[in-house]
Amino acid sequence: MNSTAQLRAPYADALRSHAGRGWLRLNVPGHAADTATTSPLVRAFGADVPLLDFPPLLDGIDLGTDTPMDEALALAAAAWGARRTWFLTNGASQGNQIASLVAPALGRTLVVQRSVHSSVIDGLVLSGLEAAFVHPSVDTEQGIAHGVTAADLAGTLARHPDAAAAYVVSPSYFGAVADIRALADVAHAAGVPLIVDEAWGAHFGFHPDLPGGALAQGADLVTSSTHKLAGSLTQSAMLHLAHGPFAEVLEPLVERAHRLVQSTSASALLLASLDLARRTLVSGREAIGASVGAADKIRGVIRALGRFAVVSDGFGRFPDIVAADPLRIAIDTRVGGIPGHEARRRLSRDHRIMVEVATDSAVVAVVGAGAFPDADRFVEALHSLPSPLGGATDEPLRLSLPRPGPTRLTAREAFMSPTRLVPAAEAVGLVSADTLAAYPPGIPNVLPGEVVTAETVRFLQRTAAAPGGHVRGAADPGVTRLRVVG
């Protein structure tokens, strides 16, 4: 598909044209595109939102043959180098669930990086597959998980000849990029496809200063959270199928699974935003370069001032990391005398600056591909933060990631079993029925079917007690009770 075609946004343009035809709307959605100034939607969002909010099955737009939607999907596939692309309206989580649902047709066991997003575990609950976990490298100083090595993946695959697929994450929440080429070679040598949760790398490959995308490195099925750094609306994402040895088998399976989990009332607004985001990425090389420049400036000033540290500067110590996403700015705040959670709270409250996530040790700021933030404002606010711990220390307190307990049941068996809520202390040694994850990033700390450990309980309760802390899947905000099997 030629580059001129990539400058079009066929679905978004057709939707806007359709909205301008003066419809009397006696169908859903119930707001009927009422553009009167008394409409609460118009007062809150302007007239364009209700006007463009059409349900699916619009004749000649997404219904029929050779529609603008068909063209938009083909353009997206060409832009990312895919054989086929699906638009998603429930985030990359939906893509991970689809990937998990197709795997049982390929084998009995999904070989999974242990630090996958919780939506992959949700997919295991839906599919009923057994899982064999490959443990990532862990930065014990920062308390963060990175990726897996090709050797570790090969070892786990060798122990599971019934493997359906290998499932890895790249980049990590902190921007660590795995060696996808080596991982794909290992998976293919074992006769299975490589599935990559590239939720945080939808922008990869669109500028020479960015790492290459997973599809170009040999991945077979890639989840892409386009809304994260690639500019579409929140909750919109894509799923890409590669040209490769597993394409013929995977394509009909993915199509059926997509139909199973995609809403029958998919938002036209979200779908149009994906079309527009693709066009912007393809045509926005100069803007993306400016975004990388802004992020580089922030890291450079932080290094020069010396109070805080840049987490990615230590990536070279880990054999699984081959590159770093330059649009992710992970900052070790504890060396500057303030925990990450407290830094995030004060940046928000005192400076009206939002960062993506905080851990006990760090904050992570992200720069969207094509965005150009006020670098000086962020750096000044960061360095104006007080030091409630009494200033920098050579050995700052760290909250280490807990080691997972042993697995006793599959995720589906545990989820579907009779359960009971017990005080957290009594849950130690019992089998969890839920996925519990410090969120964000949403990497599960305990899975359905795993034994709950005292270490995990302490970690989750301390996370929940931190400013802005949240544990996804917890029965109560303080994680005082846990749901266990039995």
Side-chain angles (χ1 to χ4, degrees):
M1 194 166 289
N2 62 52
S3 57
T4 302
Q6 287 286 354
L7 300 180
R8 300 181 60 244
Y11 179 76
D13 291 343
L15 185 68
R16 180 166 288 281
S17 176
H18 186 75
R21 293 175 187 165
W23 298 97
L24 172 61
R25 292 171 61 170
L26 302 176
N27 60 342
V28 296
H31 59 67
D34 179 7
T35 57
T37 56
T38 55
S39 163
L41 286 175
V42 170
R43 290 201 305 271
F45 305 119
D48 277 355
V49 168
L51 276 174
L52 295 170
D53 185 24
F54 283 97
L57 304 181
L58 293 172
D59 222 4
I61 296 180
D62 65 321
L63 183 63
T65 58
D66 299 324
T67 64
M69 174 55 79
D70 292 332
E71 186 180 355
L73 290 168
L75 287 168
W80 271 271
R83 169 188 171 114
R84 186 170 173 189
T85 291
W86 289 263
F87 285 177
L88 311 175
T89 55
N90 197 30
S93 295
Q94 184 184 355
N96 284 331
Q97 291 165 6
I98 291 170
S100 299
L101 284 170
V102 305
L106 307 174
R108 295 175 52 191
T109 302
L110 192 61
V111 175
V112 188
Q113 180 175 326
R114 179 55 179 78
S115 52
V116 289
H117 190 263
S118 58
S119 58
V120 178
I121 308 307
D122 296 342
L124 288 173
V125 171
L126 293 172
S127 71
L129 270 180
E130 295 184 9
F133 292 106
V134 188
H135 291 278
S137 68
V138 175
D139 184 336
T140 54
E141 293 183 5
Q142 289 294 329
I144 56 177
H146 295 309
V148 299
T149 64
D152 286 343
L153 179 62
T156 305
L157 285 168
R159 292 190 294 273
H160 295 275
D162 60 347
Y167 213 128
V168 301
V169 180
S170 181
S172 73
Y173 215 95
F174 281 71
V177 180
D179 189 347
I180 296 299
R181 173 61 63 189
L183 295 169
D185 289 345
V186 161
H188 294 166
V192 300
L194 180 70
I195 303 171
V196 179
D197 180 353
E198 197 178 40
W200 281 100
H203 55 297
F204 281 10
F206 286 94
H207 190 276
D209 290 337
L210 297 175
L215 285 174
Q217 307 303 314
D220 297 289
L221 191 62
V222 174
T223 298
S224 178
S225 193
T226 324
H227 73 90
K228 283 186 166 64
L229 271 76
S232 62
L233 291 175
T234 297
Q235 204 172 312
S236 60
M238 299 185 193
L239 183 64
H240 303 296
L241 174 67
H243 300 278
F246 299 94
E248 294 288 342
V249 174
L250 287 172
E251 184 170 356
L253 295 171
V254 173
E255 173 65 17
R256 294 172 67 199
H258 175 260
R259 189 162 56 246
L260 186 70
V261 299
Q262 177 79 314
S263 171
T264 56
S265 302
S267 167
L269 292 165
L270 298 184
L271 297 171
S273 78
L274 289 168
D275 196 20
L276 293 167
R278 183 267 315 153
R279 182 178 68 180
T280 301
L281 280 176
V282 170
S283 62
R285 178 169 173 151
E286 184 176 340
I288 295 172
S291 300
V292 172
D296 284 343
K297 177 181 178 181
I298 291 171
R299 281 187 291 268
V301 175
I302 288 171
R303 293 183 187 109
L305 293 177
R307 176 182 170 188
F308 301 105
V310 177
V311 173
S312 57
D313 288 348
F315 280 179
R317 296 184 289 117
F318 300 93
D320 56 281
I321 302 176
V322 297
D325 178 6
L327 296 184
R328 207 81 50 85
I329 309 164
I331 303 161
D332 183 344
T333 60
R334 273 214 175 261
V335 296
I338 184 168
H341 290 296
E342 181 65 12
R344 182 190 194 193
R345 185 179 75 88
R346 289 177 179 266
L347 285 170
S348 174
R349 185 195 68 186
D350 300 339
H351 302 279
R352 297 296 181 264
I353 293 174
M354 300 175 69
V355 294
E356 174 58 28
V357 67
T359 68
D360 193 59
S361 302
V363 296
V364 181
V366 298
V367 178
F372 193 71
D374 187 339
D376 292 338
R377 177 181 173 187
F378 175 63
V379 169
E380 289 170 8
L382 182 70
H383 286 82
S384 72
L385 295 175
S387 300
L389 299 184
T393 173
D394 292 335
E395 296 184 0
L397 179 64
R398 303 290 182 187
L399 181 59
S400 299
L401 289 175
R403 293 182 297 274
T407 300
R408 299 284 184 250
L409 299 170
T410 69
R412 185 179 180 87
E413 287 170 342
F415 188 88
M416 296 298 184
S417 294
T419 64
R420 56 196 173 96
L421 277 173
V422 300
E426 294 180 19
V428 174
L430 302 179
V431 175
S432 175
D434 290 331
T435 302
L436 301 176
Y439 201 92
I443 297 171
N445 306 108
V446 62
L447 305 178
E450 282 184 348
V451 173
V452 177
T453 67
E455 182 185 13
T456 299
V457 170
R458 287 194 297 271
F459 174 86
L460 294 174
Q461 288 182 337
R462 181 165 174 182
T463 297
H470 172 66
V471 176
R472 181 181 187 267
D476 61 79
V479 198
T480 63
R481 298 175 299 158
L482 275 72
R483 191 179 308 278
V484 297
V485 173

